[in-house]
Amino acid sequence: MSREKLTKIILPEERMPRFWYNVQADMPTPLSPALHPETKQPLGPEDLAPLFPMGLIAQEVSTERFLEIPPEVRELYKLWRPSPLYRAHGLEKALDTQCRIYYKYEGVSPVGSHKLNSALPQVYYNKMEGITRLTTETGAGQWGTALALACKLFGLECMVYMVRVSFDQKPYRRMIMNVYGANCVSSPSTLTESGRQALAKDPDTPGTLAIAISEAVEDAMQRADTHYSLGSVLNHVCVHQSIIGQEVKLQMEMVDDYPDIVIGCCGGGSNFAGIAFPFIPDKLAGKKVRLVGVEPSACPTMTRGVFAYDFGDVAGFTPMLKMCTLGHDFTPAGIHAGGLRYHGESPLVSQLYQDGLIEATSVMQKGVFEAAMLFSRAEGIVPAPESSHAIRVAIDEALKAKEEGIIKSIVLNLSGHGQMDLTAYDNYLSGQMEDYAPTDEEIQASLKTLPTL
Amino acid sequence: MSREKLTKIILPEERMPRFWYNVQADMPTPLSPALHPETKQPLGPEDLAPLFPMGLIAQEVSTERFLEIPPEVRELYKLWRPSPLYRAHGLEKALDTQCRIYYKYEGVSPVGSHKLNSALPQVYYNKMEGITRLTTETGAGQWGTALALACKLFGLECMVYMVRVSFDQKPYRRMIMNVYGANCVSSPSTLTESGRQALAKDPDTPGTLAIAISEAVEDAMQRADTHYSLGSVLNHVCVHQSIIGQEVKLQMEMVDDYPDIVIGCCGGGSNFAGIAFPFIPDKLAGKKVRLVGVEPSACPTMTRGVFAYDFGDVAGFTPMLKMCTLGHDFTPAGIHAGGLRYHGESPLVSQLYQDGLIEATSVMQKGVFEAAMLFSRAEGIVPAPESSHAIRVAIDEALKAKEEGIIKSIVLNLSGHGQMDLTAYDNYLSGQMEDYAPTDEEIQASLKTLPTL
């Protein structure tokens, strides 16, 4: 097939990968162990068992390169996978660039984002262990929506703690979770001790993912029928999302192309990991592909944080992970990309960043929406605010290449559509949107809450 | 390929049809001519020229079987076409049916519905004639969104009059039209004489498509740079939508199956026409396929209306069309399927209904949402309220077949997703939804407004 002509590069259903890729097999520096929040000793699998099923714990610590996708999960992946890789002809024309820009479109999933890639196996492994109820947190609502649907498809109950600023900004998200049969409450809530404490500390808090995680973990710890589920950050989530990048590689082969740059937005890191990690072996073998994670300036975990042990949640219930962090007490401004408002970063992404195998950059909210508007009007798809961070950098890279008189092949992860985020666009179009970035003092103050070892 | 295994039946991009199918070539009874609203004489092409470009007028009256899709339109179709045909494995399991249920999923278009199939060629032919601005009406907002994007892609201005009840129920629709650069106002508005008259008559009117059409036509008649665009009803719109059914036929061949029943919801009729008309030649050749149009009980145009000449709009600006109608003064209850609140029905669909080549049925709103909930939880996709009318009947047909101990192949048109219609689901889930059907007296009263010839 000609690389010039096709708009959608479609991988046949039967070529959908049968294995997830696990980057732990190929890391030059192995991960530092997760530590118990109280004893501060390395965790054993049994320490995670109250929250996670053994199937996921095994993936969390595995160093096997390929992990089999269970047939039950693979059947459900077919509801939307393989997802299309688009050549962005319209955007290229709008930018007047010779660069080839591709976007992997995960918004075709029934919930409109990549999150279902991990929600399905997470629910599957819990069901195999007899668990009947899952709790989770959600920022923008993409993860909560995905877990709600996955629970419904496998017949489990689902309880979602949704960060308050998003709960208020995005009412449709609560509604779609209800359609899928989940219970969704604004976090901090009065249902948990962690929620009540957060409200006592600041009744007007916009909430954070770190608070919502504390609530979901606390809830799960109190019931034997209940486990906890996390939509990003952890190794097994990055493993599940690797199907994205594996498909991209096959699709790029179909048009006889290979990327110079692969770009994904970074909150907890799983969507970036998903598209980027399958390129790590190529990079280690000498290929010159750049892997770029894009953070919001309001929550610059890699670009302005430290690499240190920290808790995943505000209350210190979770294990301590060695990762890029702004401190678990950090409260990012209430930007519209609620899915990126997380103080930490996947330990896998963080370690690979330390080792120079991936790059990180940060962008301001208004520039992100400027890029999202250009993309919407050129390609038709209205992108999610989170995914638009990747679009911003893809555009900047294409414009830079034009200035330098070179031609690049650029691939970005369009991890979701923004049809349920239209209030954010309305805010931008009415000229009311503001840019945010924490001061150095704010970051230093938050870093003081890092646990001592 | 086995018909049992595949979930998505994907037609390769290069097999996307190059021609639209025009049912006028095959109708046993030719269409009655459209009449001039004042002289009541058959219209000539020149009578339509103030509102439509010649390229569309030619399609409106053509009796050629196949009409070529312009390459510029075909390129843009590739943004989402060919659209997938899904085997509804999840729904079949939930119904415990042996029937094979397929849904053609038009919600993968960037605007989330089938409407872009006609918006793109309509804008294209207008642009070819030097028109720089289009006006239109929209019910639920699907058509307005599609025309907004098509105008942006071809560089035209777009003005949308949106029926008030939907404008209020579905704020995200106005927002997405703004993202695509269109102006969208609530109808009746104070911008037109027709709008002001409607408001004077009833300041609290929920609006109707017939009023919004009057406003859009009035606006277009006053500016030489402006034409009017209609998202359903007219012959050329049904022609454009025929790509749906043509793809379905190729996709069913791919799995070696052929439908016993083809189902689409019916408002103005174009989405039903799109999936059903390409099966008309087979039916005329003796195939036993049933073609079923589904109306809302609140607006039962075919099932309880008359087949007569009527205006397309409330003010009597449009030509008179021979069609199934409840009278152009009919105000349907404010059901959530705003796209189906139209007093008339495509003259093509109406004539084929008279000739017994298609069937019609009507369903109540709550049953529609019950079906939509079942579908959402079994297939993952949250369907648009309009499309859910087709789902309701597909489920009923499958259950009836089970009772009768027979196995059927059922295809429905899932014309759009409902992620921007979640307030409707919220209304259903909170137990506040009501059923509506007009009384015989209401219909009789409205039919008194039919024009005399």
Side-chain angles (χ1 to χ4, degrees), chain A residues 172-329:
Chain A
Y172 280 31
R173 281 286 171 194
R174 190 260 309 153
M175 294 178 195
I176 195 169
M177 289 184 239
N178 292 160
V179 168
Y180 292 140
N183 191 359
C184 172
V185 296
S186 175
S187 166
S189 77
T190 54
L191 300 177
T192 66
E193 187 52 35
S194 337
R196 290 187 291 270
Q197 276 179 17
L199 287 171
K201 195 173 155 196
D202 178 6
D204 297 324
T205 175
T208 65
L209 277 165
I211 297 171
I213 292 173
S214 287
E215 292 205 80
V217 169
E218 183 185 326
D219 178 330
M221 288 194 301
Q222 284 167 8
R223 289 176 57 166
D225 63 350
T226 300
H227 268 171
Y228 164 71
S229 188
L230 184 64
S232 191
V233 181
L234 299 180
N235 307 341
H236 65 268
V237 186
C238 296
V239 163
H240 302 154
Q241 295 296 351
S242 70
I243 194 164
I244 302 173
Q246 288 191 89
E247 286 181 4
V248 167
K249 290 179 77 174
L250 296 171
Q251 288 165 310
M252 290 295 277
E253 275 175 30
M254 285 170 70
V255 288
D256 195 23
D257 203 352
Y258 191 88
D260 296 299
I261 315 173
V262 176
I263 304 168
C265 64
C266 262
S270 74
N271 120 45
F272 171 66
I275 196 163
F277 285 1
F279 289 93
I280 292 278
D282 294 0
K283 201 169 161 100
L284 290 170
K287 279 260 194 191
K288 282 215 167 67
V289 54
R290 290 174 54 203
L291 309 173
V292 182
V294 187
E295 309 183 320
S297 296
C299 194
T301 316
M302 286 188 281
T303 48
R304 295 177 65 196
V306 297
F307 184 58
Y309 271 104
D310 196 4
F311 296 111
D313 70 325
V314 76
F317 290 150
T318 70
M320 288 188 278
L321 303 171
K322 185 94 176 271
M323 60 182 175
C324 295
T325 179
L326 295 160
H328 59 274
D329 211 34

Side-chain angles (χ1 to χ4, degrees), chain B residues 114-115 138-143 163 165-166 169-170 209 231-233 265-271 296 299 335-344 384-387 389 421:
Chain B
H114 69 295
K115 292 290 191 184
T138 196
Q142 305 264 24
W143 168 247
V163 176
V165 59
S166 292
Q169 277 173 352
K170 307 183 186 201
L209 277 165
S232 190
V233 182
C265 66
C266 261
S270 73
N271 120 46
C299 194
I335 55 168
H336 288 279
L340 305 183
R341 292 177 69 250
Y342 186 62
H343 68 278
E386 291 80 7
S387 320
H389 286 69
D421 304 292

Side-chain angles (χ1 to χ4, degrees), chain B residues 117-383:
Chain B
N117 295 331
S118 187
L120 288 169
Q122 288 197 41
V123 176
Y124 168 79
Y125 289 113
N126 274 292
K127 181 174 176 149
M128 290 300 101
E129 239 177 57
I131 291 295
T132 59
R133 181 174 175 269
L134 288 178
T135 65
T136 198
E137 76 294 327
T138 196
Q142 305 264 24
W143 168 247
T145 306
L147 194 70
L149 173 57
C151 280
K152 178 52 70 180
L153 290 171
F154 282 111
L156 275 69
E157 266 185 81
C158 184
M159 175 73 188
V160 181
Y161 295 87
M162 182 170 185
V163 176
R164 184 198 272 177
V165 59
S166 292
F167 189 91
D168 293 341
Q169 277 173 352
K170 307 183 186 201
Y172 280 31
R173 282 286 171 195
R174 191 259 309 154
M175 294 178 195
I176 196 169
M177 289 184 239
N178 292 160
V179 168
Y180 292 140
N183 192 359
C184 172
V185 296
S186 176
S187 166
S189 77
T190 54
L191 300 177
T192 67
E193 186 53 35
S194 338
R196 289 187 292 270
Q197 277 178 17
L199 287 171
K201 195 173 156 197
D202 177 7
D204 297 323
T205 175
T208 65
L209 277 165
I211 297 171
I213 292 173
S214 288
E215 292 204 79
V217 169
E218 183 185 327
D219 178 330
M221 288 196 300
Q222 284 167 8
R223 288 177 57 165
D225 64 350
T226 300
H227 268 171
Y228 164 71
S229 188
L230 184 63
S232 190
V233 182
L234 298 181
N235 306 342
H236 65 268
V237 186
C238 296
V239 164
H240 303 154
Q241 295 295 352
S242 70
I243 193 164
I244 301 173
Q246 289 191 89
E247 287 182 3
V248 167
K249 290 180 78 173
L250 296 171
Q251 288 165 308
M252 290 295 276
E253 275 175 29
M254 286 170 70
V255 287
D256 195 22
D257 203 351
Y258 191 88
D260 296 300
I261 315 174
V262 177
I263 305 168
C265 66
C266 261
S270 73
N271 120 46
F272 171 67
I275 196 163
F277 285 1
F279 288 93
I280 292 278
D282 294 0
K283 201 169 161 99
L284 291 169
K287 279 262 195 191
K288 283 213 166 69
V289 55
R290 289 173 55 201
L291 309 173
V292 182
V294 187
E295 308 183 321
S297 297
C299 194
T301 315
M302 285 188 281
T303 47
R304 294 178 65 197
V306 297
F307 184 58
Y309 272 105
D310 196 3
F311 295 111
D313 69 326
V314 76
F317 290 152
T318 71
M320 288 188 277
L321 303 172
K322 185 92 176 273
M323 60 182 174
C324 295
T325 180
L326 295 160
H328 60 274
D329 211 33
F330 183 76
T331 303
I335 55 168
H336 288 279
L340 305 183
R341 292 177 69 250
Y342 186 62
H343 68 278
E345 179 62 58
S346 144
L348 290 171
V349 172
S350 300
Q351 184 63 59
L352 291 164
Y353 178 57
Q354 299 305 312
D355 290 346
L357 285 165
I358 64 166
E359 303 168 36
T361 186
S362 71
V363 289
M364 288 282 200
Q365 175 164 253
K366 283 197 277 189
V368 166
F369 276 84
E370 182 196 38
M373 289 293 300
L374 180 64
F375 188 89
S376 299
R377 293 174 173 194
E379 291 292 326
I381 296 166
V382 177

Side-chain angles (χ1 to χ4, degrees), chain A residues 332-346:
Chain A
I335 54 169
H336 288 280
L340 305 183
R341 293 178 67 250
Y342 186 62
H343 69 277
E345 179 62 58
S346 143

